Amino acid sequence: MRPSENSSLKFSVLIAARNEAENLPRLLRDLAAQTLPAACFEVLIADDHSTDATASLVAAAAQETGFTLRLIELSAPETGKKAALLTALHAARAPWLVCTDADCRLGSGWLAAYAALLQQQPQANFISGPVLLTGPDSLFMTLMGLEFAGLVGVGAACLARQHPTMCNGANLAYRRAAFDAVGGFADNAHLASGDDEFLLHKIHAAFPGTAHFLADAAAIARTAAPDSLPALLRQRVRWASKWRHYQSAASRRLALLVLGANVALAAGAVALLKWPGLWPWVLAAWGLKLSGDAWLLGPVLQFFGRREWLRALLPLQLLYAPYALAVGAAGWRGGYEWKGRAVR
């Protein structure tokens, strides 16, 4: 039996945590600083069998915070992010579930921005929020941030056209009734990834026109970029592992279009070694691709306050074809490590 909903509650914030004792204090401070009144939200942190001080930290913080904070512990057979979110959801009391990650940083207007969008779109069932990568001022960080901003921008544009493709579980919300109506994670519970995009696709299919992007800078969730190339590849392979399970035609078409366009550009550059006379066509193709990317990324980077990242567009394009092929192949094969666990 679910706890009865409290009429004053608007949001239940769900956070799946495994070995996050280092990051949680910062996130809890951000949640304590929300401008939305504390009576309007609760926070449920589902501890996924952490081996550090995650559980004791949350239990202690629950006695001190000015908002409702509850520790939810997974039973022994249950593991993984979807199980953690579902366990927390069953204990949640609000009609809207808002998800973020334990290592994110949030501005004080984060929840208020969600509330404002719901006033404008009262029929909404799913909201995708913006996510920004943060890290040291280096070329590696700039390349990662630029690629990630592109994913956010494409996801937002597709939602605006009501052909949703992607979102990010670090910052999203959905109506509990819509989650129940589409069966939640039931048909993809066996997949470790996809707690975000599969749900977006299902809710859009069941309730067309009710999924929206939250284009409000106050709603940005900031998350640290991977600190090394191996860490980046592990993260991207985890994301790519869900591609072959997409039921959404728009998502499949977009994935093939992006991969095909980038591989074609790289193939054209290689072809110049044998057929130098092709250079006008290859140059034109590269110019069109880079111009189109700049046109899309300019407003996105302006929104995030990172317009200077645009200077890395050419280096990113040069690296993208081998990177995308390697990640796509590894994701199709399946299998990766996450939080100390081998996942298939």
Side-chain angles (χ1 to χ4, degrees):
M1 180 73 67
R2 266 185 194 150
S4 59
E5 292 184 3
N6 184 324
S7 60
S8 65
L9 282 175
K10 290 184 173 66
F11 304 112
S12 291
V13 179
L14 310 183
I15 302 164
R18 175 170 167 79
N19 295 335
E20 295 286 2
E22 180 180 353
N23 294 313
L24 277 172
R26 292 187 287 270
L27 177 61
L28 292 174
R29 286 196 294 272
D30 292 345
L31 290 167
Q34 293 300 300
T35 57
L36 190 74
C40 295
F41 70 95
E42 62 177 355
V43 177
L44 295 86
I45 298 181
D47 179 27
D48 183 9
H49 309 287
S50 295
T51 57
D52 66 359
T54 292
S56 58
L57 184 154
V58 175
Q63 306 301 316
E64 303 171 358
T65 59
F67 58 87
T68 300
L69 172 63
R70 289 190 282 160
L71 172 68
I72 308 295
E73 297 190 271
L74 271 66
S75 59
E78 301 292 333
T79 61
K81 186 176 182 181
K82 285 179 183 172
L85 291 174
L86 194 57
T87 302
L89 186 149
H90 286 156
R93 299 174 296 164
W96 272 87
L97 299 316
V98 188
C99 300
T100 190
D101 289 341
D103 58 355
C104 284
R105 301 301 308 273
L106 309 168
S108 60
W110 180 61
L111 284 175
Y114 274 100
L117 180 61
L118 288 177
Q119 285 187 329
Q120 300 167 13
Q121 302 286 349
Q123 304 305 314
N125 282 308
F126 190 102
I127 302 171
S128 172
V131 181
L132 173 68
L133 281 191
T134 61
D137 185 13
S138 66
L139 177 60
F140 182 54
M141 169 60 215
T142 300
L143 291 170
M144 287 189 292
L146 182 61
E147 183 219 7
F148 195 89
L151 296 176
V152 174
V154 169
C158 290
L159 270 170
R161 294 181 59 83
Q162 285 303 311
H163 293 289
T165 54
M166 64 185 76
C167 60
N168 194 296
N171 195 9
L172 59 80
Y174 43 88
R175 193 185 299 271
R176 180 205 293 270
F179 180 89
D180 290 341
V182 300
F185 305 135
D187 58 343
N188 55 75
H190 61 292
L191 302 174
S193 187
D195 56 281
D196 41 20
E197 292 177 2
F198 292 144
L199 186 60
L200 166 62
H201 300 160
K202 289 166 63 176
I203 288 179
H204 169 72
F207 306 101
T210 65
H212 303 275
F213 183 78
L214 180 48
D216 186 334
I220 294 173
R222 292 167 172 82
T223 186
D227 58 6
S228 66
L229 180 58
L232 171 68
L233 293 176
R234 285 195 298 271
Q235 182 191 68
R236 295 304 196 263
V237 169
R238 187 174 80 246
W239 293 355
S241 67
K242 62 194 171 191
W243 293 350
R244 59 195 172 120
H245 301 284
Y246 279 153
Q247 299 299 312
S248 165
S251 297
R252 292 196 300 269
R253 286 196 298 266
L254 178 64
L256 290 173
L257 174 63
V258 170
L259 182 62
N262 285 285
V263 170
L265 284 186
V270 172
L272 287 178
L273 299 176
K274 186 172 183 180
W275 299 291
L278 292 176
W279 72 263
W281 302 100
V282 174
L283 183 62
W286 275 76
L288 285 172
K289 177 65 163 59
L290 291 171
S291 298
D293 286 350
W295 175 78
L296 169 69
L297 285 165
V300 177
L301 296 177
Q302 186 73 37
F303 171 79
F304 282 125
R306 296 291 190 276
R307 187 147 183 111
E308 69 277 7
W309 285 354
L310 203 56
R311 66 175 182 265
L313 186 56
L314 179 57
L316 180 62
Q317 183 63 67
L318 292 170
L319 295 169
Y320 203 80
Y323 159 78
L325 282 171
V327 169
W332 188 269
R333 186 178 66 248
Y336 54 88
E337 182 177 310
W338 184 77
K339 296 287 185 178
R341 292 177 178 149
V343 179
R344 293 298 301 175

